[in-house]
Amino acid sequence: MSFTSIINEAIKKAMLAREKDRLDTLRDIKSKLLLESTSGNGEVSEDIALKICMKLYKQRIETYDLYSAQNREDLAAVELSQANIIQEFLPKMLSEEDIKIEVKAAISQSGASGPQDMGKVMGILSAKLAGKADGKIIASLVKEELLKS
């Protein structure tokens, strides 16, 4: 079943259950997927759909942090709720330990010897861990490992 079909089914369930907040979030995901499909090549691939959802998730978390910092707990709660709904459709994120294992493997694979080789390692890891780990976490772990070398 395609990602768009999964979202459509979730929308139907949310409509039947009369879950307004969930429905709003799912419709936002669907609108972004439709926008992507009409702007280019018709059908949206799984990878692109996951990238869109990851972007929406990150936006919600950043907004949640902003509202929390400004003591707007009413708005922060809405953003966190939406982020949790979006997270249901994302693949399970790798733990920091799993990412470290991947980082060490990529460093040995690329033959990186210091911080100047960060681009080589990030190129390998970006493709391999797309949608499974946050790029900022990956970059910080790569930098940490390369400084040890």
Side-chain angles (χ1 to χ4, degrees), residues 15 29 41 75 109 118 121 123 139 142:
M15 289 172 97
I29 294 170
N41 47 357
L75 298 173
Q109 178 186 346
M118 187 164 175
V121 180
V142 168

Side-chain angles (χ1 to χ4, degrees), residues 95-109:
S95 69
E96 197 166 310
E97 287 302 314
D98 293 336
I99 297 171
K100 280 184 182 180
I101 292 168
E102 294 292 336
V103 166
K104 288 177 183 176
I107 289 172
S108 65
Q109 178 186 346

Side-chain angles (χ1 to χ4, degrees), residues 24-83:
D24 291 343
T25 305
L26 294 170
R27 283 182 173 161
D28 187 32
I29 294 170
K30 183 177 179 179
S31 73
K32 299 296 189 280
L33 293 174
L34 283 172
L35 187 64
E36 180 66 28
S37 70
T38 57
S39 69
N41 47 357
E43 186 68 26
V44 178
S45 70
E46 290 287 317
D47 291 341
I48 293 173
L50 287 175
K51 284 180 185 177
I52 290 169
C53 282
M54 184 64 109
K55 182 178 178 182
L56 290 172
Y57 175 75
K58 285 181 183 178
Q59 286 173 343
R60 296 303 193 288
I61 293 298
E62 288 171 3
T63 308
Y64 166 77
D65 291 339
L66 182 69
Y67 286 149
S68 293
Q70 296 175 350
N71 294 323
R72 293 295 312 263
E73 296 305 320
D74 54 331
L75 298 173
V78 171
E79 293 296 324
L80 186 59
S81 170
Q82 290 179 354

